[in-house]
Amino acid sequence: YRAACSTLGRPVDVHLPGGDVVRGRAEDVTEQGELVVATVRTDGELGAAGGSWWERQVFAAGDVVHLRLADATESGMIDP
């Protein structure tokens, strides 16, 4: 499935059942079929210094939307 999945490696928005939206890059699919998304996270101290890191989150439910290049660039997920 991974080899044929066009979502992996692409910037995505995951629209969750509760209404929240998570933006990141689709990285993998678990053995249970859950989507693994890398998201950018910052905390107050590290964020104030301009630092950030990728955090992997796993989603079992939600609507996945592929982002346009301009959307991914504006959100800082990829360099222009």
Side-chain angles (χ1 to χ4, degrees):
Y1 176 79
R2 288 178 184 101
C5 183
S6 65
T7 299
L8 298 181
R10 294 187 62 174
V12 295
D13 277 347
V14 181
H15 295 257
L16 302 174
D20 290 338
V21 177
V22 176
R23 180 165 283 183
R25 185 178 61 234
E27 292 286 312
D28 200 2
V29 177
T30 68
E31 293 296 321
Q32 295 77 28
E34 301 161 313
L35 182 65
V36 180
V37 177
T39 59
V40 176
R41 293 291 185 201
T42 60
D43 65 15
E45 196 171 309
L46 186 59
S52 65
W53 65 93
W54 290 96
E55 174 181 85
R56 298 181 92 185
Q57 296 186 50
V58 179
F59 299 97
D63 293 322
V64 178
V65 177
H66 293 184
L67 297 179
R68 298 176 304 136
L69 182 59
D71 293 331
T73 302
E74 288 173 13
S75 68
M77 291 178 49
I78 61 173
D79 293 328

